[in-house]
Amino acid sequence: MMNMTSGMCCKNHLIHVCHGDMQKMPFGSVPPLLGVVDFSAISGSIRSNQRWRSTKTAVAADLHLPMRSLEVKNRTSVDDIVKLRLITAIKTPYLPDGRFDLEAYDSLMNMQIANGTEGVIVGGTTGEGHLMSWDEHIMLIAHTVNWFGGSIKVIGNTGSNSTKEAIHATEQGFAVGMHAALHINPYYGKTSMQGLVSHFESVLSMGPTIIYNVPSRTGQDIPPDVINVLAKQDNMAGVKECVGNNRIKQYTDKGMCIWSGNDDECHDARWEFGATGVISVTSNLVPALIHALMFQGKNEDLKKKLLPLMKWLFSEPNPIALNTALAQLGVIRPVFRLPYVPLPLSKRLEFVNIVQDLGRENFIGERDVQLLDDEDFILVGRY
């Protein structure tokens, strides 16, 4: 049997074992029969005396992996996250071919830092993370950490409706240095309440985590019963809550850290319902004014002054209006990754009037606000 080099298995479970020098035989010759092994005679004893084991080549030690789910991935503590009052869901700008415009992105980041923003969500809904490959996603998180991580907290949106993808992306996000993760509940397919708990627990072990509850997008609410269970986890930083201020009050009465996810409600959430602050879309445009709204006490006049802009920003699903506004301000190129398209001309005119009412000096950028024509916009379907 030690000289065997090949064999053929017949229907009657017999195998022909051939000499090692069979390769010296002329092509087409029939090798001599050396011996016969009857598998039917021994298969029973194999089944009864041995348990099946995978081959050694299929079992590889995972010690080479750069990270493990239960390891500490960064040095940021939950305490560093729960005190953030103004977090901007930062926009991702594009070049005409649909790739990231990192020069414009860096300019947006610098304007946020200069106006007192304490944290950014990278690749969130506003940043169009759902239109990115994971390679793009993690690259942008890494870029943000490398250039701005010393000045602002970088919170990577590494959530997914697939627990496997959420785990993998979160491991990568913490590996490149993000300070915290933002996690949405599984959308479209949805799951049970216990499924929600298990999904979030799978990623909470990795580092500081903000849970994002936005039923209008996911199709499923994350109820207080689930949040109350997750709140016992050491890495649970808090919740970005979009259901409303009454829900926020349920959590803040228990001492939880909550950020309002609704710009038009964030003033009252902060000063009347106990929210820590806001994760804001509007602060992309007027960061200094949103900073004042979160830091300088109740200000009904400022709240009313900002409401027309906030309502305009959500006249179509976010980030359609924001993308349009930033292009009109000249701080990004007028490039849209489909399926997003710019607001119609009438809405673009409304924005010009809003800027004039609030004062151009309160908005980011230096150029005068423009009323762009339809043909000024570039829509990219392949990116």
Side-chain angles (χ1 to χ4, degrees):
M1 295 291 289
M2 294 298 294
N3 286 329
M4 139 175 109
T5 59
S6 67
M8 296 179 291
C9 185
C10 304
K11 292 182 180 179
N12 61 355
H13 304 292
L14 300 181
I15 186 169
H16 300 271
V17 183
C18 305
H19 280 105
D21 62 353
M22 62 176 285
Q23 56 186 348
K24 301 176 183 178
M25 298 180 61
F27 179 77
S29 300
V30 178
L33 183 64
L34 261 191
V36 176
V37 179
D38 186 350
F39 280 112
S40 62
I42 63 174
S43 59
S45 62
I46 291 176
R47 292 193 194 99
S48 60
N49 296 330
Q50 298 182 12
R51 294 181 61 187
W52 179 86
R53 297 182 181 214
S54 64
T55 59
K56 289 185 178 180
T57 55
V59 180
D62 57 5
L63 298 177
H64 67 285
L65 294 176
M67 57 186 53
R68 306 289 297 282
S69 295
L70 297 180
E71 293 174 355
V72 175
K73 300 302 190 304
N74 63 50
R75 300 294 180 181
T76 307
S77 71
V78 170
D79 290 341
D80 293 325
I81 303 301
V82 299
K83 58 189 179 185
L84 304 178
R85 283 166 283 185
L86 175 54
I87 301 171
T88 295
I90 194 75
K91 156 68 180 167
T92 307
Y94 305 114
L95 296 168
D97 60 3
R99 290 177 299 137
F100 293 163
D101 184 348
L102 291 180
E103 183 178 358
Y105 178 82
D106 291 352
S107 179
L108 293 176
M109 286 294 304
N110 281 319
M111 286 184 276
Q112 290 297 316
I113 293 168
N115 285 283
T117 300
E118 300 171 301
V120 287
I121 304 293
V122 178
T125 306
T126 305
E128 300 177 20
H130 46 290
L131 302 186
M132 298 177 188
S133 68
W134 279 119
D135 285 345
E136 288 181 313
H137 212 130
I138 300 303
M139 181 277 285
L140 190 60
I141 293 172
H143 174 82
T144 310
V145 170
N146 289 339
W147 284 99
F148 307 104
S151 303
I152 199 168
K153 289 292 183 281
V154 179
I155 303 161
N157 169 34
T158 54
S160 172
N161 60 345
S162 162
T163 304
K164 174 186 175 181
E165 288 192 10
I167 291 171
H168 183 62
T170 304
E171 285 180 337
Q172 291 185 320
F174 280 121
V176 299
M178 70 182 184
H179 301 109
L182 180 75
H183 278 281
I184 202 163
N185 51 305
Y187 45 87
Y188 181 68
K190 304 190 286 187
T191 185
S192 63
M193 293 302 100
Q194 184 54 50
L196 289 177
V197 172
S198 298
H199 174 82
F200 288 124
E201 286 181 342
S202 296
V203 293
L204 272 163
S205 62
M206 300 181 197
T209 301
I210 298 173
I211 303 299
Y212 180 18
N213 185 33
V214 55
S216 63
R217 289 187 180 269
T218 65
Q220 184 178 34
D221 182 31
I222 308 174
D225 287 347
V226 170
I227 297 298
N228 291 337
V229 172
L230 298 175
K232 300 173 184 178
Q233 298 281 333
D234 291 340
N235 284 327
M236 175 72 164
V239 180
K240 177 185 177 183
E241 183 57 74
C242 297
V243 165
N245 286 340
N246 289 330
R247 173 72 65 83
I248 287 175
K249 188 71 161 55
Q250 293 182 49
Y251 296 138
T252 57
D253 282 348
K254 296 180 180 180
M256 293 186 195
C257 177
I258 307 295
W259 292 271
S260 174
N262 299 327
D263 281 4
D264 60 343
E265 297 180 346
C266 70
H267 173 271
D268 293 349
R270 172 86 170 103
W271 302 112
E272 296 181 18
F273 294 88
T276 298
V278 63
I279 297 178
S280 175
V281 176
T282 311
S283 56
N284 277 278
L285 300 174
V286 287
L289 295 184
I290 303 300
H291 184 276
L293 209 60
M294 292 295 101
F295 282 79
Q296 296 180 9
K298 294 185 70 172
N299 189 334
E300 292 290 337
D301 289 340
L302 179 58
K303 179 183 79 171
K304 291 177 181 177
K305 191 176 180 180
L306 284 167
L307 279 177
L309 173 61
M310 293 173 173
K311 292 186 180 300
W312 181 87
L313 277 171
F314 293 92
S315 58
E316 292 286 355
N318 180 51
I320 292 171
L322 176 64
N323 295 354
T324 306
L326 289 169
Q328 288 186 250
L329 291 171
V331 294
I332 68 169
R333 290 177 169 87
V335 180
F336 281 68
R337 279 187 174 184
L338 291 171
Y340 296 126
V341 297
L343 289 179
L345 183 62
S346 60
K347 283 290 184 180
R348 301 201 293 268
L349 179 58
E350 280 185 33
F351 180 67
V352 172
N353 294 330
I354 289 172
V355 172
Q356 292 172 349
D357 290 342
L358 273 175
R360 177 62 183 90
E361 69 278 5
N362 290 310
F363 287 80
I364 64 169
E366 298 177 354
R367 299 181 185 177
D368 290 337
V369 61
Q370 301 293 315
L371 181 63
L372 298 176
D373 294 326
D374 290 344
E375 56 267 24
D376 292 327
F377 291 94
I378 298 172
L379 308 182
V380 184
R382 187 186 295 272
Y383 42 81

